[in-house]
Amino acid sequence: YLPAVLAKPISVDTGWSLPWVVGGLSLGLLAGGIVSPRVGHTIEHHGGRLVLSCGSILFTLGFVSLSLSPNIPTYLAAWLIIGLAMGCGLYDATFATLGGIYGQAARPVITILTLFGGLSSTVCWPLTAFLNAEFGWRITCLVYAGLHLGGVKFFV
């Protein structure tokens, strides 16, 4: 949800065109799609704990890089990192990990996770807007980096 709330403030603050700012997300989605088959293979053969931890670390690095971006190439590189993180740490990797751990019994756990994921926009959209209004988009990205860094301890 980050670009939906922060794209305009990033564009205004940096002077970068809005299509380039929003294009970062597209680049990240492409990177996530490219890495996803390898992520699935790794989860299948080694489990998901390491993959999900790597996802949290990559999200942390990506958001820190995003917050420090002085120019469009650095900004887009940060989105590549975030894209790799999306491939390692969003629903696909999480559901595959839960399926590997719980087998057929994963269905209720996945349902609960999906419910919380669906409600996340209810929390994250206003939280992102509040953080941006109070501290700016760069600090907002650092807050999200910190939250993802906390996720590493959860998986390790």
Side-chain angles (χ1 to χ4, degrees):
Y1 311 108
L2 193 91
V5 179
L6 295 183
K8 181 82 170 169
I10 291 170
S11 180
V12 168
D13 179 56
T14 61
W16 305 335
S17 73
L18 192 57
W20 276 108
V21 172
V22 175
L25 174 62
S26 296
L27 189 61
L29 291 170
L30 177 64
I34 289 170
V35 75
S36 289
R38 184 72 185 148
V39 167
H41 178 79
T42 302
I43 292 170
E44 181 180 10
H45 294 285
H46 303 289
R49 183 173 289 222
L50 179 61
V51 171
L52 294 172
S53 294
C54 286
S56 289
I57 291 168
L58 287 167
F59 271 123
T60 301
L61 293 172
F63 283 124
V64 168
S65 299
L66 202 66
S67 76
L68 299 173
S69 296
N71 52 46
I72 287 288
T74 307
Y75 176 83
L76 295 177
W79 273 106
L80 282 174
I81 296 168
I82 292 169
L84 296 175
M86 289 189 290
C88 293
L90 293 183
Y91 281 134
D92 296 340
T94 305
F95 291 169
T97 299
L98 290 172
I101 293 170
Y102 296 107
Q104 289 292 337
R107 186 173 292 163
V109 177
I110 289 172
T111 301
I112 291 168
L113 179 63
T114 303
L115 176 64
F116 279 104
L119 293 174
S120 69
S121 62
T122 305
V123 173
C124 291
W125 201 294
L127 176 62
T128 304
F130 169 78
L131 290 170
N132 179 61
E134 293 295 315
F135 306 106
W137 71 270
R138 292 182 189 273
I139 298 299
T140 301
C141 289
L142 290 175
V143 169
Y144 282 113
L147 291 171
H148 282 286
L149 187 59
V152 174
K153 285 195 161 247
F154 179 76
F155 296 117
V156 174

